[in-house]
């Protein structure tokens, strides 16, 4: 509680009093703005001279912090009769406490204007009194005083108003703000006068308001039941394009959505009309709130077109919340602009099951990927710059530049002191280091051939897969081969997805290993002194972005690592926040990239280890199209028309292709979690094909298999899926990890290859074996494994469909993401920078210069 007092007047210099008032009001409003936004301040009490109680001052305090009840909003709530949401001014409470049996009495308010006067009239009339208001100088004052049973004085009585105007026996109450300094005499004949009681009682009533306000604040911190208004869909047939459907819906303002799902005002940072960042403080507020059910959406091995996992995810939450009235949250990855402008297009879902506005979802969103790019490339620049400066300077010159004299003082920065401690040097005075200690501190001695940290860009650019840096004369001959990765492959993206707090993220960023020194020891971002700067660049990106589905249900969009070259899951933080918000009976539905063999395996073995969360159900997405491909159908190529095998009924192809579905169900069962198969139905699928897939899925161990029509019908088309998921979530869960972290790196890779992919064995290249030996020696052998492998086959060969067997999985290289917390082997010729096809999506993307609307996104 803060109390703003009249001592502020001391800040005004001698001079014009009107100017002084303006200064006071300005200072007060500036201060109140700070206190209004301070989450640690639950109330503001004003103690100012009456002359400063202007409307601007009274309304500068947030209504929810206005313990004096003097703001227009509080008065409006009082007049409306909203007793819970308003606070009655303490002076008014005091007056009402002193008065009894007001029914039928005439009450005159003299000199009581503004909020207090209005509040008094409202409260008196509720008690059955007849109220009149009058100014001291009004000509009818004498008549009104003579007829009043009760007189309430709101300001100092002028001397020219005689006491004889007041009839004997009248109750007189003075509630002037200057009461303490007043010595009024209303005459001995008026033995019901209550001159000085109001001031003391008002102080008590203010304390009561403070208690009430604190109770309301405590209540506001508790979990709130959702009051969600879902949006209606206007279904059309044929189904329009995704962007046309998105534009036809009018989304709720994001602050309205936030309030509906129980977010507090100070937990939300608005980005425009339809996006908002959610602060991590919510996790502390709701730490005692039980989590909801946790659902993972994975898929069978997909065609290059994708099989609609994002669409199923959105359709499922729309069904749960808009049609079954069950709280649910979708947690999705932010799409990379590489696929958006390349082959795959956007990732907002599709048809009548998508996140809106889809163009904002698919493009810059709130800038998280740009922040990752900036942080990643700052670190890359720091590596090369450090090598250059160490190669061209003596120990003394290097040390003097690393620890310069600033304003006559020389001192280590905090991160430099931390490096000294890691080196076993306890000194804090830069002038006391020995030559050996200076050499040890100033030189990282990075071995350029061991640098694993690459620059990134969020564009598919195949010509950046191998580059040469340092060719300018200013780099003094320091030339080396390097490469660019796509931004979402950055370890910083993996850290964003796995971190559990700002402190945890900062620690992970510092642990990132970027190279080895010439003695074979790891060099980290912390050694380069860049950890704090990286954390600054990422401080907003760590907050999940709130959006909504077509039916107005909430969605978190956060992090976007690829599943074939990273761990392929949205953020732990988004999931944790959503699990608190949905409540114990609600559902959080998140998606793992590509097939269950890739995204789901990493979800269980990497993400669940980092979060400590246990999934309730896996939804495995399949399509007749993909199953026909696995059954021996012709190649499916992005941008090319589908062959007739995919548009005409062919039960044999479907039956043969279900081997891949069966294998993915078996992979899910390795982790002990119930699985529900969601068959994403296309208009070319026949009823017989649909029935066949569902029958085989159930026979293969799925808890249930349900055809879904959410693409054409929205949430209504996924109601049966939602009901199946709800039933499966109540089944016994025997969740377990696939392998122990204590196993050697090679053995963990072998377990994944054999149990998940179906390989006969693995084969490490000499480079890969050397890296495994190095990481084991450096103490990184107990980390989980993140396989970088093609998503188009269970094997390392994209052309091998169905369920390949008997193959040897080649491991060409092994790298480490120490900050993220995993080892990632590269299988075969896996590239971390996609390329553009002959006809990229950008041919169809355009901007209308008149309406500023984006065209061609899908």
């Amino acid at each position: 509680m803060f109390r703003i007092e009249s001592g502020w007047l001391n800040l005004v210099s001698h001079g014009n009093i009107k100017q002084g008032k303006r200064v006071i009001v300005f200072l007060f409003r500036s201060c109140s703005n700070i206190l209004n936004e301070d989450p640690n301040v639950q109330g503001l009490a004003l103690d100012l001279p009456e002359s400063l109680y202007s409307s601007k001052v009274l309304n500068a305090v947030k209504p929810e912090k206005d313990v004096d009840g003097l703001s227009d909003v509080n008065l409006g709530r009082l007049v409306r009769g909203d007793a819970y949401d308003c606070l009655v001014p303490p002076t008014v409470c005091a007056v009402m406490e002193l008065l009894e049996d007001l029914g039928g009495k005439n009450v005159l308010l003299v000199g009581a204007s503004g909020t207090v006067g209005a509040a008094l009239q409202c409260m008196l009339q509720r008690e059955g009194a007849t109220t009149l208001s009058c100014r001291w100088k009004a000509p009818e004052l004498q008549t009104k005083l003579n007829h009043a049973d009760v007189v309430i004085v709101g300001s100092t009585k002028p001397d020219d108003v005689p006491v004889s105007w007041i009839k004997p026996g009248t109750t007189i109450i003075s509630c002037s703000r200057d009461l303490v300094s007043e010595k009024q005499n209303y005459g001995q004949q008026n033995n019901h006068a209550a001159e000085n009681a109001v001031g003391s009682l008002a102080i008590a009533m203010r304390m009561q308001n403070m208690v009430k306000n604190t109770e309301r604040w405590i209540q506001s911190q508790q979990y709130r039941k959702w009051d969600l208004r879902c949006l209606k869909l206007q279904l059309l047939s044929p189904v329009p394009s995704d962007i046309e459907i998105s534009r036809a819906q009018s989304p709720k303002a994001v602050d309205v959505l936030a309030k509906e799902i129980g977010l507090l005002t100070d937990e939300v940072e608005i980005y425009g009309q339809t996006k908002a960042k959610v602060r991590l403080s919510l996790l502390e507020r709701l730490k005692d709130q039980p989590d909801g059910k946790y659902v993972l959406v994975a898929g069978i091995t997909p065609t290059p077109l994708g099989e609609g996992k994002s669409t199923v995810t959105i359709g499922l939450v729309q069904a749960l919340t808009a049609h079954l009235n069950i709280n649910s949250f979708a947690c999705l990855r932010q799409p990379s602009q590489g696929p958006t402008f390349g082959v795959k297009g956007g990732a907002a879902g599709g048809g009548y099951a998508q996140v809106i506005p889809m163009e904002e979802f698919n493009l810059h969103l709130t800038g998280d990927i740009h922040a990752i790019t900036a942080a990643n490339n700052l670190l890359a620049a720091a590596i090369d710059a450090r090598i250059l400066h160490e190669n061209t300077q003596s120990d003394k010159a290097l040390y003097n530049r690393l620890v310069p004299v600033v304003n006559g003082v020389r001192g280590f920065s905090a991160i430099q002191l931390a490096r000294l401690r890691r080196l076993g040097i306890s000194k804090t005075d830069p002038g006391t280091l020995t030559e050996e200690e200076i050499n040890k501190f100033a030189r990282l001695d990075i071995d350029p051939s061991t640098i694993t940290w690459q620059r990134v860009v969020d564009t598919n650019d195949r010509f950046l897969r191998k580059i040469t840096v340092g060719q300018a004369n200013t780099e003094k001959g320091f030339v080396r081969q390097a490469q660019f990765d796509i931004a979402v492959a950055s370890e910083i993206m993996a850290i964003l997805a796995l971190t559990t707090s700002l402190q945890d993220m900062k620690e992970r960023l510092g642990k990132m290993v970027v190279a080895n020194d010439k003695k074979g020891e790891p060099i980290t971002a912390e050694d380069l002194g860049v950890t704090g700067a990286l954390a600054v660049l990422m401080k907003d990106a760590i907050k999940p972005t709130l959006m909504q589905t077509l039916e107005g249900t909430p969605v978190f969009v956060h992090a976007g690592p690829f599943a074939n070259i990273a761990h392929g899951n949205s953020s732990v933080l988004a999931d944790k926040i959503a699990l608190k918000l949905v409540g114990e009976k609600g559902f959080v539905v998140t998606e793992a990239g590509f097939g269950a063999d890739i995204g789901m395996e990493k979800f269980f073995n990497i993400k669940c280890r980092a979060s400590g969360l246990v999934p309730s159900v896996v939804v495995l997405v399949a399509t007749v199209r993909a199953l026909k491909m696995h059954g021996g159908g012709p190649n499916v190529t992005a941008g090319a028309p589908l062959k007739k095998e995919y548009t005409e009924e062919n039960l044999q192809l479907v039956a043969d292709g279900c081997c891949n579905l069966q294998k993915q169900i078996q992979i899910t069962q390795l982790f002990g979690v119930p699985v529900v198969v969601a068959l994403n139905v296309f208009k070319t699928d026949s009823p017989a094909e649909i029935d066949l897939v569902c029958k085989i899925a159930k026979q293969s161990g799925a808890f249930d298999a349900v055809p879904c029509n959410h693409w054409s019908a929205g949430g209504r088309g996924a109601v049966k899926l939602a009901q199946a998921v709800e039933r499966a979530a109540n089944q016994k869960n025997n969740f377990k990890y696939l392998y122990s972290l204590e196993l050697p790196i090679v053995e963990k890779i072998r377990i994944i290859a054999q149990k998940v992919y179906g390989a006969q064995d693995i084969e490490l290249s000499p480079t890969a074996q050397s890296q495994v030996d190095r990481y084991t020696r450096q103490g990184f052998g107990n980390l989980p494994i993140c396989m970088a492998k093609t998503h188009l086959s269970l094997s390392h060969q994209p052309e091998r469909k169905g369920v390949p067997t008997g193959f040897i999985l080649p491991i060409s290289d092994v790298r480490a993401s120490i900050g993220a917390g995993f080892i990632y082997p590269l299988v075969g010729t896996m590239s971390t920078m996609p390329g553009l096809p002959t006809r990229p999506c950008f041919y169809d993307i355009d901007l209308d210069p008149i309406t500023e609307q984006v065209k061609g996104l899908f």
Side-chain angles (χ1 to χ4, degrees):
M1 179 65 63
F2 268 78
R3 183 184 178 110
I4 299 179
E5 302 185 355
S6 57
W8 280 54
L9 282 172
N10 297 328
L11 297 172
V12 184
S13 60
H14 297 290
N16 186 295
I17 188 63
K18 290 184 178 179
Q19 181 182 357
K21 285 183 180 179
R22 284 198 297 269
V23 173
I24 286 292
V25 171
F26 172 77
L27 289 171
F28 168 75
R29 293 179 71 189
S30 299
C31 180
S32 66
N33 285 339
I34 296 170
L35 299 176
N36 277 335
E37 301 306 321
D38 187 341
N40 297 312
V41 176
Q42 279 76 57
L44 292 171
L46 306 183
D47 268 342
L48 300 172
E50 188 166 357
S51 59
L52 291 179
Y53 277 85
S54 66
S55 177
K56 284 184 178 180
V57 168
L58 297 180
N59 289 302
V61 179
K62 269 189 175 181
E64 59 266 31
K65 296 189 178 186
D66 176 21
V67 297
D68 291 316
L70 297 173
S71 67
D72 290 347
V73 172
N74 253 317
L75 178 61
R77 289 170 179 167
L78 176 64
V79 172
R80 194 173 62 225
D82 195 344
Y84 177 79
D85 275 345
C86 76
L87 287 174
V88 180
T91 301
V92 176
C93 289
V95 171
M96 297 306 298
E97 191 73 18
L98 291 170
L99 294 173
E100 295 178 349
D101 300 326
L102 288 170
K105 289 186 178 179
N106 295 318
V107 180
L108 177 65
L109 279 67
V110 186
S113 58
T115 303
V116 172
L120 272 168
Q121 290 202 53
C122 178
M123 296 296 288
L124 289 165
Q125 288 168 7
R126 283 187 194 170
E127 295 299 318
T130 301
T131 62
L132 292 172
S133 182
C134 192
R135 293 176 293 108
W136 284 115
K137 299 295 184 182
E140 67 274 17
L141 175 61
Q142 182 176 359
T143 303
K144 289 182 176 181
L145 283 172
N146 196 39
H147 289 88
D149 301 310
V150 178
V151 175
I152 299 175
V153 178
S155 57
T156 305
K157 180 181 76 65
D159 292 337
D160 59 353
V161 176
V163 173
S164 59
W165 287 5
I166 303 173
K167 71 179 182 181
T170 300
T171 299
I172 304 169
I173 295 179
S174 176
C175 55
S176 168
R177 290 194 188 94
D178 294 328
L179 181 66
V180 174
S181 61
E182 287 181 34
K183 294 196 180 295
Q184 297 290 344
N185 180 13
Y186 293 102
Q188 296 300 316
Q189 59 179 332
N190 301 295
N191 50 24
H192 298 293
E195 297 178 33
N196 298 314
V198 172
S200 301
L201 196 52
I203 293 171
M205 293 298 160
R206 175 188 267 184
M207 293 301 296
Q208 194 175 68
N209 273 1
M210 291 177 180
V211 171
K212 182 179 179 181
N213 212 48
T214 304
E215 288 174 344
R216 288 198 316 190
W217 178 82
I218 292 171
Q219 184 65 32
S220 75
Q221 301 303 299
Q222 307 305 308
Y223 175 77
R224 296 182 184 181
K225 186 178 179 181
W226 284 18
D227 184 21
L228 193 69
R229 176 183 63 86
C230 293
L231 304 177
K232 300 296 183 183
L233 292 178
Q234 300 295 325
L235 302 176
L236 299 177
S237 183
V239 177
S241 70
D242 290 351
I243 199 162
E244 288 175 318
I245 293 172
S246 176
R247 291 235 176 91
Q249 184 64 286
S250 297
K252 293 178 283 191
V254 73
D255 59 329
V256 172
L257 173 64
K259 186 176 181 180
E260 289 177 344
I261 61 174
L263 287 166
L264 305 183
T265 303
D266 59 13
E267 291 171 342
V268 179
E269 298 173 2
I270 305 296
Y271 282 64
Q273 294 295 312
T274 56
K275 305 186 296 291
K277 287 284 193 183
V278 175
R279 293 176 180 164
L280 308 188
S281 58
L282 177 143
L283 286 171
E284 177 62 25
R285 176 170 69 88
L286 296 182
K287 63 183 178 182
D288 297 325
Q289 167 67 23
D291 289 345
K293 304 288 187 181
Y294 197 27
V295 180
L296 175 70
V297 176
I300 65 170
T301 304
T303 69
L305 305 177
E307 308 317 306
K309 290 191 308 300
S310 298
T311 311
V312 169
T313 300
I314 300 305
L316 176 55
V317 294
Q318 289 181 177
L320 283 165
T321 301
H323 298 271
L324 297 181
N325 199 30
I326 298 171
N327 291 355
S328 72
F329 230 113
C331 291
L332 299 178
R333 290 173 294 164
Q334 179 183 353
S336 163
Q337 289 179 179
T340 300
F341 292 103
V343 176
K344 191 171 178 288
Y352 288 102
Q354 56 175 304
V355 182
I356 57 172
M358 66 92 76
E359 60 266 47
E360 293 189 27
F361 176 92
N362 282 315
L363 296 175
H364 304 283
L365 200 64
T366 48
D368 294 355
I369 293 180
H370 300 313
I372 289 164
T373 302
N376 184 100
N377 293 344
L378 175 62
L379 180 52
I383 296 167
D384 288 325
R386 186 59 175 262
I387 295 173
L388 171 69
H389 294 312
E390 289 189 23
N391 285 345
T392 56
Q393 297 179 55
S394 66
D395 286 357
K396 183 178 179 181
L398 188 62
Y399 183 65
N400 287 340
R401 287 182 171 86
L402 286 171
V403 193
V405 176
V406 179
N407 296 325
V409 179
R410 192 179 192 192
F412 294 113
S413 68
I415 201 165
Q416 288 176 327
L417 288 169
R419 173 165 166 75
L420 286 169
R421 288 193 293 272
R422 289 197 305 277
L423 293 171
I425 301 171
S426 58
K427 298 173 183 177
T428 58
D429 182 354
T432 61
L433 268 65
T434 66
E435 288 187 5
E436 182 183 353
E437 289 170 336
I438 287 173
N439 174 273
K440 206 173 174 182
F441 169 80
R443 294 201 177 274
L444 299 179
D445 281 331
I446 297 171
D447 180 353
S449 67
T450 66
I451 295 173
T452 54
W453 194 264
Q454 310 298 346
R455 290 167 172 82
V456 299
V457 63
D458 197 34
T459 304
N460 289 1
D461 192 343
R462 64 177 68 245
F463 283 89
L464 293 177
R465 289 171 177 168
K466 182 173 284 189
I467 61 170
T468 303
V469 297
Q471 290 190 323
N473 292 334
T474 50
E475 275 49 77
K476 302 178 183 179
F478 172 56
V479 178
R480 69 178 182 92
Q481 277 199 343
Q483 68 184 58
F484 269 78
D485 294 337
I486 193 159
V488 291
S490 169
E491 183 177 352
I492 297 177
M493 175 62 89
I495 287 173
L496 178 66
L498 293 173
T499 193
T500 55
S501 68
L502 197 55
Q503 180 62 34
D504 177 61
M505 182 179 73
K506 188 175 177 182
E507 290 172 3
R508 287 174 178 268
L509 290 170
K511 290 177 183 177
M512 293 187 301
V513 173
V514 300
N516 294 319
D517 65 18
K518 292 171 183 175
K519 295 178 183 177
E521 295 303 313
I523 299 295
T524 66
E526 186 80 3
D527 292 324
L528 285 157
V530 75
T531 306
L534 300 181
V536 167
L537 288 170
M538 293 295 295
K539 72 179 181 66
D540 292 320
I542 197 174
K543 304 164 191 170
T545 299
L546 177 66
M547 295 187 75
Q548 63 194 285
T549 68
L550 278 166
E551 297 191 54
T553 66
V555 177
F556 274 141
V557 188
H558 201 215
F562 281 175
N564 53 353
I565 55 180
H567 65 85
N569 288 274
S570 62
S571 79
V572 166
L573 280 169
D575 291 354
K576 285 194 166 189
I577 292 173
L579 284 165
K580 295 298 183 186
L581 285 171
V582 295
E584 192 171 7
K585 295 182 180 179
F587 284 80
V588 171
V589 184
T590 189
E591 174 200 347
F594 298 125
D597 58 305
I598 297 186
M600 185 192 73
E601 181 271 314
K602 295 171 184 176
F603 172 87
F604 287 137
N605 284 319
I606 298 175
K607 185 176 180 180
C608 288
R609 288 186 200 268
S611 68
L613 299 173
V614 176
S616 308
V617 186
V618 169
V619 174
L620 192 64
V621 179
T623 63
V624 168
R625 176 181 69 194
L627 293 172
K628 286 180 175 179
M629 179 191 72
H630 289 297
N635 286 338
V636 176
T637 305
L642 289 170
K643 302 290 177 56
K644 66 180 179 63
E645 287 85 350
Y646 295 103
T647 57
E648 298 175 1
E649 184 179 284
N650 192 322
L651 294 176
Q652 189 60 52
L653 273 183
V654 173
D656 292 344
C658 277
C659 63
N660 187 272
L661 174 60
Q662 291 170 310
K663 173 64 175 174
Q664 303 287 8
I665 291 173
Q666 291 167 11
I667 294 170
T668 307
Q669 291 171 334
L670 290 173
F671 298 93
V673 180
V675 56
V676 173
V677 171
L679 183 62
N680 191 16
V681 175
F682 287 58
K683 63 182 179 181
T684 53
D685 300 344
S686 74
E689 290 172 331
I690 293 169
D691 291 343
L692 179 61
V693 174
C694 293
K695 178 182 176 182
I696 292 174
K698 292 176 188 176
Q699 291 173 345
S700 303
F703 174 82
D704 203 350
V706 184
C708 307
N709 297 286
H710 46 274
W711 182 80
S712 58
R716 189 182 67 195
V719 166
K720 289 184 178 179
L721 173 64
Q723 291 168 335
V725 167
E726 187 180 13
R727 291 195 304 272
N730 293 319
Q731 298 297 302
K732 186 177 179 181
N733 190 319
N734 298 310
F735 174 68
K736 57 183 178 293
Y737 299 118
L738 185 64
Y739 52 79
S740 166
L741 293 180
E742 304 304 316
L743 291 172
I745 292 173
V746 172
E747 187 57 30
K748 287 182 280 194
I749 297 172
R750 182 174 285 111
I751 288 172
I752 295 171
Q754 292 178 336
K755 291 190 175 182
V756 177
Y757 306 152
Q760 180 179 326
D761 205 350
I762 61 173
E763 183 178 51
L764 274 68
S765 71
T767 300
Q769 186 61 59
S770 173
Q771 289 290 74
V772 167
D773 294 342
R774 174 181 286 123
Y775 294 140
T776 302
R777 186 176 66 252
Q778 291 174 342
F780 304 139
N782 290 344
L783 294 176
I785 304 299
C786 181
M787 302 288 281
K789 181 188 82 71
T790 179
H791 60 289
L792 296 173
S793 172
L794 284 163
S795 75
H796 58 287
Q797 298 167 299
E799 67 277 6
R800 297 188 67 178
K801 306 302 180 183
V803 183
T805 56
F807 60 92
I808 305 297
L809 193 74
I811 310 299
S812 59
D813 197 1
V814 176
R815 300 176 188 172
S817 292
I818 305 304
F822 53 73
I823 303 291
Y824 67 102
L826 274 67
V827 178
T829 56
M830 194 68 212
S831 173
T832 50
M833 170 56 81
L836 290 172
T838 304
R839 192 187 189 284
C841 298
F842 62 64
Y843 276 89
D844 302 310
I845 297 171
D846 199 2
L847 180 71
D848 187 319
I850 306 300
T851 64
E852 298 185 10
Q853 288 190 333
V854 177
K855 302 177 181 178
L857 277 179
F858 70 96

